[in-house]
């Protein structure tokens, strides 16, 4: 899911937000849950705060934080096991330890969500784009090769 300009400007369903409310720090208890990726508890705690008599600025800040957590959950979609499987399908002789190395080298973008490592939806594209010498380990994609052969065959038939 790519984030559209409309969602950024209109906050995807959030009411117009006063930018000054973003200067407000989150309440400490909510901030801890967000930092640890415990979005379920953070959202429950936001519900508790919203039932209290809080300022409009804090209300907007909490609404914005809820929106940010939603975006993160929608963008970081692969578990560790899914990421290993994806890498194994694309790279020859891929081992799980390599994914840890990609993380250490800041090549694989991840966050913790609800206690699990979750990888960014384009993490593998990033690795393939910036990791030196990774091209030599790419497995041949039969669909791409087949498409190339068909294209060549059609060119040949057309006399080009």
């Amino acid at each position: 899911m790519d984030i559209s300009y409309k969602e950024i400007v209109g906050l995807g369903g959030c009411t117009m937000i006063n930018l000054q409310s973003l200067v407000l720090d989150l309440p400490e208890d909510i901030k801890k849950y967000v930092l640890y990726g415990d979005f379920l508890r953070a959202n429950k705690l936001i519900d508790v705060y919203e039932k209290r008599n809080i300022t409009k600025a804090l209300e907007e800040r909490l609404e914005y934080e809820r929106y940010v957590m939603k975006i993160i959950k929608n963008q970081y979609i692969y578990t560790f096991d899914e990421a290993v499987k994806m890498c194994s399908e694309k790279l020859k002789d891929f081992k799980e330890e390599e994914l840890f190395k990609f993380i250490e080298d800041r090549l694989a973008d991840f966050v913790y969500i609800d206690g699990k490592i979750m990888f960014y939806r384009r993490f593998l594209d990033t690795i393939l784009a910036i990791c030196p010498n990774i091209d030599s380990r790419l497995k041949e994609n039969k669909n791409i090769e087949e498409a190339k052969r068909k294209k060549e065959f059609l060119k040949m038939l057309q006399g080009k």
Side-chain angles (χ1 to χ4, degrees):
M1 166 184 130
D2 287 323
I3 300 166
S4 69
Y5 176 77
K6 181 181 175 187
E7 285 182 303
I8 292 169
V9 173
L11 293 177
C14 287
T15 58
M16 277 306 275
I17 193 163
N18 180 352
L19 292 178
Q20 290 178 337
S21 68
L22 297 179
V23 174
L24 276 179
D25 205 6
L26 287 172
E28 197 63 32
D29 45 1
I30 294 174
K31 187 189 330 185
K32 287 177 187 174
Y33 287 131
V34 171
L35 289 174
Y36 291 125
D38 193 341
F39 294 169
L40 183 63
R41 284 196 174 101
N43 276 302
K44 285 181 180 179
L45 207 47
I46 288 172
D47 290 340
V48 169
Y49 273 87
E50 288 176 336
K51 290 175 185 168
R52 295 179 182 170
N53 187 18
I54 58 175
T55 65
K56 180 72 174 159
L58 181 56
E59 183 180 314
E60 289 174 349
R61 178 66 176 94
L62 295 175
E63 183 178 356
Y64 179 76
E65 195 61 33
R66 199 185 294 268
Y67 175 70
V68 168
M69 288 186 286
K70 180 181 171 187
I71 290 175
I72 291 171
K73 283 187 102 164
N74 287 332
Q75 296 294 311
Y76 290 80
I77 57 175
Y78 299 115
T79 65
F80 187 85
D81 291 338
E82 290 169 330
V84 168
K85 183 178 182 216
M86 290 172 68
C87 290
S88 296
E89 289 171 354
K90 282 274 193 192
L91 301 172
K92 295 174 190 166
D93 304 319
F94 183 80
K95 293 176 179 42
E96 187 176 296
E97 296 80 30
E98 289 179 88
L99 188 53
F100 285 116
K101 181 73 172 134
F102 289 149
I103 291 170
E104 287 174 15
D105 293 344
R106 308 284 302 138
L107 297 171
D109 190 8
F110 77 97
V111 295
Y112 284 96
I113 299 177
D114 298 327
K116 294 184 283 188
I117 291 178
M118 299 297 290
F119 289 89
Y120 182 63
R121 63 186 180 84
R122 291 187 174 163
F123 86 96
L124 186 53
D125 294 334
T126 302
I127 291 169
L128 296 175
I130 64 175
C131 188
N133 305 320
I134 199 83
D135 297 3
S136 63
R137 293 186 53 205
L138 281 173
K139 291 182 179 177
E140 192 174 17
N141 187 327
K142 293 179 183 174
N143 293 336
I144 291 173
E145 290 303 310
E146 187 177 336
K148 284 181 184 178
R149 282 195 299 272
K150 284 181 181 178
K151 192 174 185 179
E152 291 293 323
F153 181 70
L154 288 173
K155 280 184 182 179
M156 186 180 72
L157 286 176
Q158 293 172 348
K160 293 183 180 179

